Amino acid sequence: MSPNTTKTASPLLVVIAFATVYLVWGSTYFFIRIAEQGGMPPFLLGALRFTIAGLLLMSWCVIKKEKIFVARDIVIAAFTGVLLLFVGNGIVIWSEKTLPSAMVAILVSSAPIWFVLLDKPHWSENFKNRSTIIGLVIGFGGVILLFSKQLGSLFGGTGVSSELPFMLLLVLGSISWSYGSIYAKRNPVSVSGSVGTAWQMIIAGIVYIPTAFIHGEFNHLHLQTIHPLSWVALAYLVIFGSIAAYSAYVWLLQVRPATQVSTYAYVNPVIAVVLGVVFASEDISLTQMAGLLVILASVLLINLAKYRKTQSVLVSG
């Protein structure tokens, strides 16, 4: 299917799908924090979340009698799953042990910037556009703004903030997520999207298990001491975060222009900030809010050229 081709869909279903992607993906940061505050270790949380979600989705694929075991597709799914769900999302989960969920979401909002920089085959197209270049420059300004407090303490001789390593890791996680997305796009699987996603989740979930052992999460783990809210949050992440929202996202890409679907990148961090501040009493500084606005403005500029190109193609078609 051509990137600019869309299928006819019920307007009500489109609204429901957008609401699911906007609200659920934006809320996952908050529910990760709830799960961890209740005593769920971060890497165990990742292992349970993605293994369970992957097995549930794969079971559905088996019921539908879809083709599952294709060696090449499993290898591609494994590499993609590790980059996206283990490195990218794993860093998010781990960072929320130290950073407020709202700050984590703000830092992750810079992912579209790395997507443009890592998409080498489209450099000639992207870097000929003025709005893309301006957007990248503004975006990096927003990232630096987010790091201003930590960099000030570093160069001011007051010591390195304990937040700085995790903030740097989140940048690495965003790069991993962007590269994994590009890799998946360039290496499509022959099986259905549901099967490929299920393999990504299952393999990523398995990789979390030895990481949890190395991190010592099983040394003094007593499941009965984990607060019930942690299990509720885990169930939410499995059902809504890892199955419903992703399925809605994939479906929207089939029925709406990709530029319109990508607006989730503007909404998710805002939802995360609101939930973190209102329900978790997280403290977000004016500088961090300014950084968020700057990054979102840069993402808008980066996508502006793609939006205009899509509109011109639709009009000419």
Side-chain angles (χ1 to χ4, degrees):
M1 182 175 62
S2 171
N4 296 321
T5 302
T6 58
K7 299 179 181 179
T8 303
S10 164
L12 178 60
L13 290 179
V14 170
V15 170
I16 293 174
F18 266 113
T20 301
V21 174
Y22 283 176
L23 298 177
V24 173
W25 273 1
S27 66
T28 53
Y29 299 93
F30 173 74
F31 281 94
I32 288 171
R33 186 166 185 83
I34 293 298
E36 292 180 342
Q37 285 183 335
M40 183 80 70
F43 295 111
L44 176 61
L45 173 61
L48 292 173
R49 173 185 177 180
F50 293 114
T51 303
I52 294 172
L55 290 174
L56 288 174
L57 189 57
M58 188 66 80
S59 298
W60 174 247
C61 295
V62 171
I63 293 173
K64 293 173 63 181
K65 297 182 179 180
E66 296 189 25
K67 192 175 183 180
I68 293 174
F69 295 102
V70 179
R72 174 185 175 275
D73 294 343
I74 294 175
V75 172
I76 292 174
F79 188 65
T80 304
V82 168
L83 287 176
L84 269 66
L85 304 179
F86 176 69
V87 179
N89 202 267
I91 289 175
V92 168
I93 297 173
W94 191 25
S95 297
E96 288 203 36
K97 290 289 291 184
T98 301
L99 302 178
S101 61
M103 183 189 293
V104 172
I106 290 172
L107 283 164
V108 172
S109 68
S110 65
I113 299 172
W114 306 113
F115 193 100
V116 172
L117 292 176
L118 293 172
D119 194 13
K120 188 175 180 180
H122 293 91
W123 277 0
S124 59
E125 176 185 343
N126 290 332
F127 290 106
K128 283 182 180 178
N129 187 274
R130 183 178 300 175
S131 65
T132 299
I133 296 174
I134 295 175
L136 288 172
V137 173
I138 292 175
F140 278 111
V143 173
I144 292 174
L145 193 60
L146 292 177
F147 279 85
S148 60
K149 177 182 176 182
Q150 286 70 24
L151 291 174
S153 64
L154 175 62
F155 293 106
T158 58
V160 180
S161 170
S162 60
E163 297 178 344
L164 185 58
F166 287 98
M167 294 177 71
L168 293 173
L169 278 175
L170 282 168
V171 173
L172 175 62
S174 294
I175 293 173
S176 178
W177 181 275
S178 301
Y179 181 76
S181 300
I182 294 171
Y183 175 84
K185 186 174 182 178
R186 293 176 185 167
N187 298 274
V189 295
S190 61
V191 295
S192 70
S194 298
V195 172
T197 302
W199 277 121
Q200 289 179 26
M201 292 180 182
I202 292 172
I203 293 170
I206 292 173
V207 175
Y208 271 99
I209 296 174
T211 308
F213 273 106
I214 294 172
H215 204 246
E217 292 184 354
F218 293 101
N219 292 345
H220 305 288
L221 178 65
H222 301 286
L223 296 180
Q224 65 272 18
T225 63
I226 296 178
H227 197 279
L229 280 178
S230 289
W231 298 107
V232 173
L234 173 62
Y236 180 90
L237 292 169
V238 168
I239 297 172
F240 295 99
S242 296
I243 296 179
Y246 187 79
S247 298
Y249 177 73
V250 172
W251 180 77
L252 280 171
L253 287 176
Q254 296 176 346
V255 301
R256 304 302 299 170
T259 48
Q260 185 177 354
V261 181
S262 69
T263 55
Y264 82 90
Y266 313 138
V267 181
N268 286 174
V270 177
I271 298 294
V273 168
V274 171
L275 290 175
V277 172
V278 174
F279 294 103
S281 301
E282 295 179 350
D283 183 22
I284 298 299
S285 68
L286 291 177
T287 302
Q288 291 164 351
M289 287 300 300
L292 170 62
L293 295 175
V294 170
I295 289 175
L296 296 185
S298 75
V299 174
L300 178 61
L301 282 172
I302 289 171
N303 284 320
L304 186 59
K306 297 179 182 179
Y307 175 78
R308 287 174 174 171
K309 182 178 179 181
T310 300
Q311 290 299 102
S312 63
V313 170
L314 291 175
V315 171
S316 62

